[in-house]
Amino acid sequence: MATSTDEPEKTTVNIRMTESQLADIDAAWKEAGYGNRSEFLRDIARDAAKHPEFNRADLKAMLASEVEIQEGRTHSSDDVKEQLGIDDGDAGDDDE
């Protein structure tokens, strides 16, 4: 039966983890602005279940990129082309 706010009924789930894992989770939910640990854990469980194609390496790369953007360490496409030695005239030249 739904609650008065039409939210689905919630079930309590017990999990075991180390104290250090719990400390990491507590720091993460507070830093992310969640109201409590349960909200945070529900969101990460839902995201993991709905988006299993994301793995840890992908998430770490995305986070690293986000940090670079926030710190202003971005590059224009022209900068990248220059670093890689790519000339716009080279694109599609398979005749050589």
Side-chain angles (χ1 to χ4, degrees):
M1 172 184 271
T3 65
S4 61
T5 59
D6 291 329
E7 288 185 21
E9 185 177 342
K10 294 181 174 102
T11 301
T12 299
V13 176
N14 295 312
I15 60 171
R16 291 173 129 354
M17 63 180 58
T18 66
E19 288 292 327
S20 64
Q21 289 170 325
L22 186 58
D24 289 343
I25 288 170
D26 285 342
W29 72 260
K30 290 173 184 175
E31 185 176 318
Y34 281 83
N36 58 56
R37 184 190 298 152
S38 292
E39 290 176 15
F40 176 74
L41 291 172
R42 275 193 299 273
D43 277 358
I44 61 173
R46 183 200 62 239
D47 291 347
K50 289 192 177 212
H51 304 287
E53 66 277 9
F54 285 120
N55 62 38
R56 265 192 139 141
D58 292 338
L59 293 173
K60 284 181 180 181
M62 288 179 0
L63 289 172
S65 295
E66 181 64 24
V67 168
E68 288 182 353
I69 291 168
Q70 289 177 0
E71 293 177 354
R73 293 184 282 145
T74 59
H75 306 281
S76 71
S77 59
D78 290 336
D79 292 340
V80 173
K81 287 176 187 176
E82 184 177 323
Q83 287 176 352
L84 297 174
I86 299 172
D87 182 12
D88 283 334
D90 292 342
D93 285 349
D94 292 334
D95 295 338
E96 294 179 27

